[in-house]
Amino acid sequence: MGDFYTAIIEPFLISVSASSALLRGTRSIASYDSGGTWPLEGSNAPPLRSVSLNKTKKYALPSSGAHLCLYADGTEVTEEFFQTLPDNTELVLLCRGQTWSGVVCDIGQLLSTDRHASGLVEAAKGLLADERSQKRRKILTDLLLNLEDTSELESREEDEGWFEGVDARFKTKSAYMKYNCESRIRGYIKEVDAAAKTVEKAKVRAEVLKTSKRLGEMLKTARHNGRYFDRTEKEADRLCTRAGWFTCQGSFEQEVCPSLHSINPYGSRESRIVFSTWNLDHRIEKKRTIIPALLEALQSHKSADVNLVYFYRLLFTRENLKLVHIVCHKKGAHHLLCDTAEIFNTGKAQPKVKGKKRRLV
């Protein structure tokens, strides 16, 4: 129980024994040796059963206001209830004002164990070595993955293991993560170029290539929006916390991820690799909607007539991009259209939109 055994500053775990003996002494703050017992407050005669402190160190017990509750669910133990408890029932001894909500408190303690992470790592590894249950092995493996977190380290010199398989030119985690994001977004321009090759009319194809070039220049000016994955950027510009945690934003039609998926690719090499399966998903779809709408606009208009800022925002920015866990990435049709009022620069004719898809404004 770790720090639970520190002079009752925090609650600690004890158990019921069937001993009829009771260590007599004053009810002031007293130190009990291993094997000593503590009576429930208010009892004047030795009870038939007692609470044993079967530990090797001494404990400073409170003079008043202390109380017991069940470890399992936090039920308070009264004098009468105490006599009905079976042997080896686990109890928690609390000081005045302290509360215990049951096993959930242990989970809370586990989630705030930064000070004891190394001890937990060793304990988890020991359990994993002997564990045969696949389910428990998975739980222990996930626990170890999070406990063996090195996200506080940044440079290659500090955390060589994280950089295994990463090009030597990257000296920091943030630099690599920024490049990773740039590479993903840079690929969207290549898709526009590829679409240009499918256009039969030479004039139209030339306008598409001109448009692609201009979009590429805009993206280059914005440094390919690599800041989205860079934890050293300003909070408004990045998709992660300062520590490097990313949270799934849910599928295209959801406000938040119902499963609360999260990951810190800065924490370990494995997490960095797993993060590659997360997607920057276009709400208005890139291949089904945005690029076809751009090609259609250029069939009868020049590049200068098209609102490239609008298409830039749809293709390359968080206005239309959502970071999603692979489970939340829905690959079916989104049925969302470009806003026809935004496709052309002010004053230009706007073609009719076919179909009955919903419009995302």
Side-chain angles (χ1 to χ4, degrees), residues 207-313:
E207 289 298 325
V208 175
L209 290 172
K210 185 188 298 183
T211 299
S212 178
K213 182 179 180 180
R214 290 182 61 191
L215 287 172
E217 291 171 349
M218 294 167 67
L219 188 59
K220 185 177 180 179
T221 300
R223 296 182 300 169
H224 301 93
N225 292 328
R227 61 185 180 276
Y228 293 162
F229 289 0
D230 184 354
R231 65 178 178 180
T232 66
E233 291 283 348
K234 296 179 180 179
E235 183 176 0
D237 295 331
R238 50 184 159 84
L239 284 168
C240 61
T241 67
R242 180 62 71 183
W245 282 98
F246 291 83
T247 300
C248 174
Q249 296 176 311
S251 60
F252 74 94
E253 82 279 23
Q254 296 176 320
E255 291 295 327
V256 295
C257 170
S259 300
L260 303 178
H261 295 121
S262 63
I263 189 171
N264 189 343
Y266 288 84
S268 68
R269 175 176 176 270
E270 181 174 339
S271 293
R272 169 176 63 78
I273 295 172
V274 171
F275 184 67
S276 65
T277 66
W278 285 49
N279 294 276
L280 282 171
D281 186 31
H282 289 82
R283 294 181 65 212
I284 300 178
E285 296 169 279
K286 177 175 76 273
K287 289 184 177 180
R288 288 192 178 103
T289 306
I290 301 174
I291 294 178
L294 180 60
L295 296 182
E296 183 179 351
L298 292 170
Q299 290 289 332
S300 55
H301 294 78
K302 292 184 177 181
S303 176
D305 298 333
V306 176
N307 185 354
L308 295 188
V309 173
Y310 175 62
F311 281 100
Y312 172 84
R313 296 202 310 264

Side-chain angles (χ1 to χ4, degrees), residues 319-330:
E319 182 175 323
N320 189 47
L321 290 172
K322 298 187 75 175
L323 180 67
V324 296
H325 185 281
I326 189 171
V327 172
C328 293
H329 185 205
K330 295 186 177 181

Side-chain angles (χ1 to χ4, degrees), residues 165-230:
V166 173
D167 193 285
R169 73 178 185 273
F170 298 106
K171 305 302 181 183
T172 67
K173 294 179 180 180
S174 295
Y176 174 77
M177 291 300 296
K178 182 177 182 179
Y179 169 79
N180 182 284
C181 186
E182 290 175 353
S183 297
R184 296 191 191 201
I185 295 179
R186 193 183 292 114
Y188 306 154
I189 272 290
K190 294 179 181 179
E191 293 186 50
V192 178
D193 288 337
K197 296 178 181 179
T198 66
V199 178
E200 295 181 359
K201 295 181 179 179
K203 274 189 175 182
V204 176
R205 183 165 61 251
E207 289 298 325
V208 175
L209 290 172
K210 185 188 298 183
T211 299
S212 178
K213 182 179 180 180
R214 290 182 61 191
L215 287 172
E217 291 171 349
M218 294 167 67
L219 188 59
K220 185 177 180 179
T221 300
R223 296 182 300 169
H224 301 93
N225 292 328
R227 61 185 180 276
Y228 293 162
F229 289 0
D230 184 354

Side-chain angles (χ1 to χ4, degrees), residues 7 9 14 31 55-56 58 72 109 189 197 282 290 296:
I9 293 173
I14 52 184
S31 294
K55 295 296 173 182
T56 60
K58 296 184 178 182
Q109 289 288 329
I189 272 290
K197 296 178 181 179
H282 289 82
I290 301 174
E296 183 179 351

